[in-house]
Amino acid sequence: MRKRVGILTLAAGFIAASLASSPAPARADVVWDHWQKAESLSSSGDKGGAVPHWVFLADYYASTGEWENAALFCGKLDAYYDALGDYDQAIYYYELENTYWVKAGRDWGAVKLQRADQIRTTVELYKQDRNQSELKQSALPKYGQLAKFEPAYGTYLGMYSEQDPKVGNLFSKTESVYGKKHAINLAYAHWGQSFPATYAKRAKEAGGALQIAWEPDDGLDPVSDGTYLRKWAQDAKAAGIPIFLRFAGEMNGAWVKWHGNPAQYIAKFRMLHDVFAEEAPNVAMVWSPGDVPANDIDPYYPGDAYVDWVGVSLYIEPYENGDPSLPSMLPTSSVERLTRLYNTYSDRKPLMLSETGVPHYSHAAQEDFTEWAKLNLQRLYEIMPYKYPRLKAITYFNVDQQMENAKNDYSLSDSSEIQAYYRQMIANPYLLSKVADAAKPADGVGYVPVDANHQSFTKQTKFIPFVKIPEVYIGKIAYVLNGRVIATQSELPYGLMLRAGEVPEGSVLQLKVYNQAGTQVALRTFGISSQVSVEINGKEQQFEQPPVIRNGSTLTPLRAIFEAMGAKVEYDAATKTVTAHKGSTTVRLTIGQKTVYVNGKSSELEEPAQLVNGFTLAPARFVGETFGGEVAWDGSSRTVTIATK
């Protein structure tokens, strides 16, 4: 991680210069009158009185295509509403100002979009899901083929640990220190030096892969195909482990020597791709810009044919560049910082956070930010992998910078509280410990957003909220189920486990969010439902049509359960009759009728068999007991259990 000029610093000087040289007044008298009145009112301290005039001027200049003027007056409006605490209006004008700067051919609106994200209230909800086909589908690229070493779903754990006193470059220690093996270990290498074989050897001993940040310190001119490169590639192959090669990262930033010539960069990257494709098939090529400056990213993209993974260096910090004199960056989260890159490239390539971190202490300000770090570590390891299912790897920059660069302490082991919290976060099986093609979590559990298509669950599930408010720190989250408060949380990490028996069909879950002053600042409502599940001999069954409740009776899929119990099933569409055989037992029933026949002897069902979405469903007890099974019902998890004899 290098010292980088942040988004605020990049934009502030440019916009200030524009404001200092405000455009000449329009000739039309009415426009000039609005301008003069706005200036007079603002100068006298009546900014509220100036608002209608600023609105008129912003709209007028937009209508005439004078985009810089339109942007400047939007800037006055967004600053006014932001200071007033009217965040919705401020966000509207921040986004409009950016639009006008873009139309003017400027990138000065990026800082305004960042501020809009900082003050935007967000309440989202994610839940566990076990639908393997849907989880895999949501994590696939648009064209449907996984990249080299890409997991089917889930996110690889990675770490740069060389400066961690408890691990160093002995990667096998990571598990004992942090409770879990990490899939990827990060090492730095420099063009002209030999392949980092020691790091590869230690990654192999730890059962992990290696991410190599390979940096051409003298620029791109010396990078060429020849004996040095070929030997380096052959040594990479000989390492015998998956290698993620991040060549010349953060190329979009002026702080690196390989910045400034996109065409040369692309040519060198493509050349390297071809060499490693020939010499070292165990190497995946990672193209990895920094998240800022955003408008300089795309010109450096080498093309889909030459990139295996898209990475990004993405950090948040309490103060930009560690400078407490600059505006606070506490309202910024990594979640929004990834959106643009994700939307641009995730249809084509898996994404990784090549470097990322959340500091818990600012050396420059001598301030502790433990609670802020915990809040954002949960966002990093729970929210981001669920919100962005194509985010397939996260490598943590585990370093105390002391008074260098941004002057932040990202080190996980410097704080026992942060170390324990990190262990808690990464224990989730969704965060993968082994690199392998089409890898997936051992427990088969993924996460989906709670929306119109993802409301139901079986047995029990965990709900995890993503809550962000302009005040940054959250005082309390209250969970209200069907009008009743069932839980409140004021301690991190946030999340709620619900059992199916607590959540009837058509339930409503509300999240009420309070700031630290105790004021409710957000409310979001979600529809959720539980479904009846069926276990046969301890194995949960998966049905195309799940069980339903009709008139108090649980109806389960007849064919699927009968066949799971070894019976053969036939259906006569003309008479709507189902006939099933197993051994000496024959069962016959008709859709819509309560009378059934077992070996010719009639009996009555409490509820007739029904067609639901083309599937025959019948009362669970009848279905389970017909061929000798023992049926039980667990109301807390809404589970039908069938034990065959």
Side-chain angles (χ1 to χ4, degrees):
M1 179 185 179
R2 299 168 188 80
K3 181 174 178 61
R4 300 184 295 169
V5 178
I7 191 169
L8 285 173
T9 304
L10 283 168
F14 294 133
I15 295 176
S18 293
L19 289 169
S21 54
S22 297
R27 292 180 179 177
D29 289 342
V30 66
V31 177
W32 176 242
D33 287 344
H34 279 288
W35 193 311
Q36 289 291 89
K37 289 177 182 177
E39 286 295 311
S40 175
L41 290 164
S42 178
S43 298
S44 67
D46 186 7
K47 293 184 183 296
V51 164
H53 303 289
W54 289 336
V55 170
F56 173 89
L57 291 164
D59 292 345
Y60 170 78
Y61 285 117
S63 71
T64 60
E66 296 177 72
W67 304 117
E68 290 195 6
N69 282 355
L72 290 170
F73 283 110
C74 282
K76 294 179 180 294
L77 288 161
D78 53 43
Y80 169 76
Y81 284 116
D82 194 341
L84 195 66
D86 187 344
Y87 296 126
D88 289 341
Q89 280 288 84
I91 290 168
Y92 172 80
Y93 282 109
Y94 279 131
E95 292 178 341
L96 192 59
E97 182 183 357
N98 175 70
T99 299
Y100 293 155
W101 283 126
V102 170
K103 289 179 180 291
R106 310 285 190 179
D107 63 358
W108 301 349
V111 66
K112 302 307 181 85
L113 290 183
Q114 175 175 277
R115 181 57 184 164
D117 283 336
Q118 288 181 337
I119 60 176
R120 194 187 314 275
T121 295
T122 301
V123 182
E124 297 173 353
L125 190 63
Y126 297 84
K127 74 176 185 68
Q128 292 176 328
D129 195 276
R130 292 174 175 80
N131 186 326
Q132 294 280 306
S133 60
E134 184 171 345
L135 292 169
K136 291 177 181 178
Q137 187 62 39
S138 68
L140 276 174
K142 190 174 184 179
Y143 57 82
Q145 183 176 351
L146 295 173
K148 186 182 293 187
F149 307 138
E150 181 180 353
Y153 67 98
T155 302
Y156 292 135
L157 268 178
M159 181 181 287
Y160 174 64
S161 62
E162 188 167 23
Q163 297 184 48
D164 181 349
K166 294 185 179 180
V167 178
N169 57 22
L170 299 176
F171 304 137
S172 58
K173 290 184 176 181
T174 306
E175 183 177 12
S176 62
V177 175
Y178 296 108
K180 188 173 184 177
K181 290 183 178 179
H182 283 50
I184 300 173
N185 304 283
L186 170 59
Y188 290 87
H190 303 276
W191 182 269
Q193 297 178 354
S194 60
F195 175 80
T198 299
Y199 293 94
K201 176 177 179 290
R202 289 174 176 173
K204 188 173 186 178
E205 292 170 349
L210 194 65
Q211 181 202 150
I212 302 177
W214 199 14
E215 300 180 338
D217 297 324
D218 295 323
L220 292 171
D221 289 343
V223 177
S224 61
D225 190 359
T227 303
Y228 165 71
L229 175 58
R230 294 284 171 168
K231 177 65 164 60
W232 205 99
Q234 291 160 10
D235 289 345
K237 179 182 179 181
I241 59 172
I243 293 175
F244 297 88
L245 183 58
R246 173 165 55 112
F247 172 72
E250 301 180 19
M251 78 299 298
N252 56 313
W255 52 87
V256 298
K257 291 185 179 180
W258 46 92
H259 168 78
N261 190 335
Q264 183 188 30
Y265 177 88
I266 289 172
K268 301 294 186 180
F269 194 100
R270 289 179 174 182
M271 180 271 293
L272 288 172
H273 167 274
D274 292 345
V275 169
F276 283 98
E278 179 182 343
E279 299 281 3
N282 61 316
V283 170
M285 295 296 295
V286 181
W287 175 71
S288 185
D291 73 309
V292 294
N295 289 337
D296 284 344
I297 290 176
D298 298 338
Y300 287 88
Y301 186 59
D304 291 349
Y306 301 92
V307 173
D308 295 307
W309 287 64
V310 169
V312 62
S313 296
L314 192 161
Y315 291 86
I316 58 173
E317 53 190 333
Y319 302 104
E320 186 173 1
N321 294 330
D323 187 348
S325 68
L326 294 175
S328 170
M329 295 293 286
L330 290 177
T332 300
S333 84
S334 299
V335 180
E336 296 81 13
R337 293 283 284 266
L338 185 63
T339 300
R340 181 193 178 279
L341 197 77
Y342 189 87
N343 290 344
T344 303
Y345 295 102
S346 65
D347 278 348
R348 294 176 275 174
K349 301 295 174 183
L351 268 70
M352 66 163 60
L353 299 185
S354 311
E355 292 181 18
T356 191
V358 181
H360 56 84
Y361 188 80
S362 166
H363 290 291
Q366 297 185 352
E367 288 183 70
D368 183 90
F369 290 100
T370 295
E371 286 305 305
W372 182 78
K374 290 167 66 176
L375 179 68
N376 284 287
L377 282 170
Q378 183 179 22
R379 292 169 178 171
L380 183 61
Y381 287 103
E382 288 198 324
I383 302 306
M384 292 184 74
Y386 310 160
K387 184 180 181 70
Y388 305 116
R390 300 278 299 136
L391 176 59
K392 299 293 185 77
I394 298 173
T395 299
Y396 193 87
F397 188 72
N398 191 13
V399 171
D400 181 2
Q401 293 184 319
Q402 297 292 334
M403 288 299 288
E404 297 179 359
N405 297 321
K407 307 174 183 65
N408 292 316
D409 189 353
Y410 296 92
S411 174
L412 298 166
S413 65
D414 274 0
S415 161
S416 59
E417 185 174 358
I418 290 295
Q419 181 176 340
Y421 190 81
Y422 178 78
R423 288 175 66 108
Q424 181 181 355
M425 286 292 96
I426 68 170
N428 184 351
Y430 192 81
L431 300 170
L432 306 172
S433 293
K434 182 74 175 177
V435 171
D437 288 323
K440 62 181 182 179
D443 62 356
V445 174
Y447 296 81
V448 296
V450 176
D451 55 27
N453 298 318
H454 304 98
Q455 295 186 343
S456 61
F457 67 95
T458 60
K459 293 187 177 179
Q460 68 175 22
T461 198
K462 187 175 184 180
F463 292 88
I464 299 170
F466 169 39
V467 176
K468 193 170 76 68
I469 60 176
E471 296 93 332
V472 180
Y473 294 109
I474 297 161
K476 180 177 69 174
I477 298 177
Y479 302 86
V480 183
L481 181 63
N482 298 327
R484 182 174 64 88
V485 176
I486 58 170
T488 60
Q489 289 181 323
S490 56
E491 299 291 332
L492 290 159
Y494 302 121
L496 177 71
M497 186 73 74
L498 286 176
R499 293 182 65 80
E502 301 173 287
V503 186
E505 286 89 345
S507 290
V508 173
L509 179 65
Q510 290 183 310
L511 268 60
K512 293 184 177 181
V513 183
Y514 299 82
N515 62 19
Q516 290 191 322
T519 302
Q520 182 178 319
V521 293
L523 171 67
R524 181 85 186 272
T525 299
F526 302 88
I528 61 173
S529 290
S530 67
Q531 292 179 343
V532 173
S533 59
V534 177
E535 288 184 356
I536 299 178
N537 295 328
K539 182 178 180 180
E540 185 172 358
Q541 305 298 299
Q542 301 294 326
F543 304 118
E544 292 183 68
Q545 170 59 51
V548 300
I549 305 293
R550 292 290 187 270
N551 299 320
S553 295
T554 301
L555 306 184
T556 55
L558 184 144
R559 177 185 289 273
I561 295 177
F562 276 180
E563 289 180 346
M565 297 175 71
K568 294 183 178 180
V569 182
E570 300 170 354
Y571 179 66
D572 185 340
T575 61
K576 296 184 178 180
T577 299
V578 177
T579 304
H581 311 272
K582 181 182 178 183
S584 60
T585 302
T586 298
V587 178
R588 182 167 58 87
L589 60 83
T590 302
I591 303 297
Q593 296 184 12
K594 286 189 174 184
T595 303
V596 298
Y597 298 89
V598 179
N599 291 336
K601 183 178 180 181
S602 66
S603 61
E604 296 293 309
L605 300 174
E606 67 267 23
E607 188 70 20
Q610 300 179 22
L611 275 178
V612 178
N613 297 323
F615 295 89
T616 302
L617 273 63
R621 188 165 297 279
F622 162 76
V623 174
E625 292 179 346
T626 294
F627 292 111
E630 294 183 356
V631 179
W633 168 254
D634 179 357
S636 65
S637 65
R638 301 187 76 198
T639 301
V640 176
T641 60
I642 302 172
T644 60
K645 296 180 179 178

